Amino acid sequence: MTRETDKTRAGAAAPPPIAFAEPWEYELHFPRDPRAPGIARTTLRAVLDAHGLDELSDRAELLASELATNSVRHTKGPASVRLRWACPVLRVSVSDSSPVFPMEVPAATAWDAEGGRGLAILELVADQWGGPDVPPTPPAAAALAA
């Protein structure tokens, strides 16, 4: 980018913010890197805060972190986190290169175990979760789907 381009952009008027009820979508692609879940959490929180949805940030961060961590640990390639807002529903999804989709929540895992709790957390925290065939459910109040 040149200085002239910087000046042109700096002088341009910013577009108005997207209205709260209008749908939007953000997607972050990341490599198979152990730093990726942290980067995804930080990005997710910034997007939700910017859109005035900070009350959903903690749950969304937890869900995205668990899903992104599973992708980084158990697949061989890159992944992505997508946030999709369709008022009043926020959908957090993670896609990766694995053709296998884990559908069963494992048996109870010890509280001090270093792994194996991700799907159980999804089961507890997400309003619903599943693969690409999960139909959208319009809830009555703001919700979070993983």
Side-chain angles (χ1 to χ4, degrees), residues 22-131:
E22 285 186 47
W24 51 256
E25 184 173 311
Y26 290 82
E27 188 167 7
L28 172 67
H29 297 269
F30 53 88
R32 185 172 183 257
D33 180 328
R35 296 170 289 200
I39 293 167
R41 283 191 304 272
T42 301
T43 303
L44 181 146
R45 183 165 293 276
V47 168
L48 294 178
D49 287 348
H51 282 280
L53 294 168
D54 45 323
E55 73 274 4
L56 298 178
S57 291
D58 290 339
R59 278 175 70 192
E61 244 186 289
L62 177 60
L63 294 169
S65 182
E66 289 300 326
L67 293 167
T69 299
N70 284 350
S71 289
V72 168
R73 291 184 76 191
H74 302 295
T75 67
K76 302 282 187 226
S80 64
V81 173
R82 178 181 295 158
L83 302 176
R84 185 179 307 143
W85 174 252
C87 188
V89 176
L90 176 68
R91 182 173 179 85
V92 177
S93 55
V94 174
S95 301
D96 59 40
S97 59
S98 176
V100 178
F101 187 81
M103 286 303 294
E104 292 186 30
V105 176
T109 304
W111 67 271
D112 58 349
E114 293 200 18
R117 296 182 305 238
L119 295 180
I121 289 171
L122 287 179
E123 189 69 27
L124 289 171
V125 177
D127 292 325
Q128 68 181 43
W129 71 278

